[in-house]
Amino acid sequence: MLRLYQPVMRALATAAGPSVEVVLHNLDGSDVDLDHTIMAIENGHVTGRAVGGPSTSLGLDVLKDRRRNHDAFGYRAVTSDGRELRSSSIYFHNASGDIIASLCINVDLSPLQQARNMIEALLPVSPTGAEEAPQEHFGSDLLSVMDQMISEAIAEIGRPVEQMSRDDRIAVLEKLEKRGVTQMRKSIETIAKRLHVSRVTAYAYLDEARS
C-alpha cells in the first residue's frame, strides 16, 4: 500500500497546494492502535500530524464494522484549533473483505474564507441612501416577480439554503418583510418552500423578524 500510494499522495498534494493534506492510514489487523495509524502524510501541517500519528474519530466507526463501506466524500471536519476542513476518505479492503488501510484528503478552507473576507472588504460600499432606493423586478406575472425577490434575498445571505442557519433564514424573512414580499398572496407558502422549512416555521421566523 505504501509503495503504491505514496507517489500518488505526493502528486495530489503538489497539484492541490499546501492547504491540502493527504494521509495514508494503516488499519490492518484486529489490534489496530488508533494512536499510531499514519504511515504516510503530505502537508501534515494542515492538521499538525506526522508519520506515526493518530487516526481520527472515524477510525472508531471503522473498527466497529471492518467490512462495511465507509467511503465518504466532501464531508465537514474541524481541526483542534477550530479550522474548518472539507474531507474525503476511501477505504481499502483485503481479499477477505476486511478494511486494511484508508486514504484521506483534507482541504483547509481557512485560506479561501480569508480570501473571501478580503474580497468582500474591497467591494464598493453602497452609497448612503442606496438601501432606500427603489428596486424594480420584472416578470411575466406577480408570482415570478415574487420568486425573483425571494431569490435576491437568499443570494444576499451569501450561502446556499442547505447551509443556512436558523438566523440566516430569519434574516431572509426580515429582508422580504421590509420589501413587502410577505404581503403578497401565498408568499409565506412560497418562502417556506424556498427555505426548505414548513409553513408554520416560516410564520414563526417572520414573527421573529418583525420583532
Side-chain angles (χ1 to χ4, degrees):
M1 295 292 295
L2 187 59
R3 288 196 302 270
L4 179 62
Y5 285 104
Q6 198 163 24
V8 176
M9 292 170 60
R10 184 162 298 173
L12 286 171
T14 302
S19 295
V20 178
E21 178 187 76
V22 188
V23 192
L24 185 65
H25 291 277
N26 175 18
L27 301 173
D28 193 18
S30 58
D31 57 347
V32 175
D33 180 3
L34 292 180
D35 281 331
H36 306 284
T37 61
I38 297 178
M39 54 179 164
I41 187 168
E42 297 288 337
N43 293 333
H45 58 269
V46 170
T47 61
R49 296 178 299 171
V51 172
S55 176
T56 67
S57 55
L58 293 184
L60 297 172
D61 293 331
V62 172
L63 296 186
K64 290 177 184 176
D65 187 353
R66 301 175 64 89
R67 298 199 170 194
R68 186 166 68 85
N69 180 8
H70 291 273
D71 291 356
F73 305 94
Y75 58 89
R76 180 179 180 271
V78 181
T79 64
S80 58
D81 59 0
R83 285 175 292 113
E84 186 177 351
L85 308 178
R86 180 173 295 145
S87 302
S88 295
S89 300
I90 56 175
Y91 294 84
F92 304 101
H93 300 251
N94 61 17
S96 301
D98 292 324
I99 288 175
I100 58 172
S102 68
L103 181 66
C104 305
I105 300 175
N106 304 306
V107 182
D108 185 357
L109 299 181
S110 55
L112 295 175
Q113 293 165 340
Q114 292 168 8
R116 181 185 64 188
N117 293 339
M118 291 179 63
I119 291 172
E120 289 176 350
L122 292 171
L123 288 173
V125 179
S126 299
T128 303
E131 290 185 358
E132 286 72 40
Q135 298 183 40
E136 192 171 20
H137 298 80
F138 297 86
S140 57
D141 53 39
L142 194 59
L143 187 62
S144 63
V145 170
M146 179 173 64
D147 199 56
Q148 288 179 40
M149 297 177 76
I150 295 171
S151 296
E152 183 180 80
I154 289 172
E156 288 173 4
I157 298 301
R159 58 175 61 85
V161 172
E162 292 80 9
Q163 297 178 15
M164 281 188 181
S165 65
R166 180 176 179 275
D167 288 342
D168 290 333
R169 288 178 166 87
I170 292 173
V172 172
L173 264 299
E174 184 178 3
K175 292 175 183 294
L176 296 175
E177 168 72 359
K178 289 180 178 178
R179 296 168 191 175
V181 177
T182 56
Q183 305 303 316
M184 295 181 178
R185 184 171 175 269
K186 293 186 177 180
S187 61
I188 300 302
E189 291 86 343
T190 305
I191 294 167
K193 185 175 180 181
R194 292 292 303 276
L195 293 181
H196 302 173
V197 298
S198 69
R199 183 171 174 269
V200 172
T201 300
Y203 271 112
Y205 287 171
L206 179 58
D207 287 340
E208 290 200 42
R210 286 171 173 169
S211 63

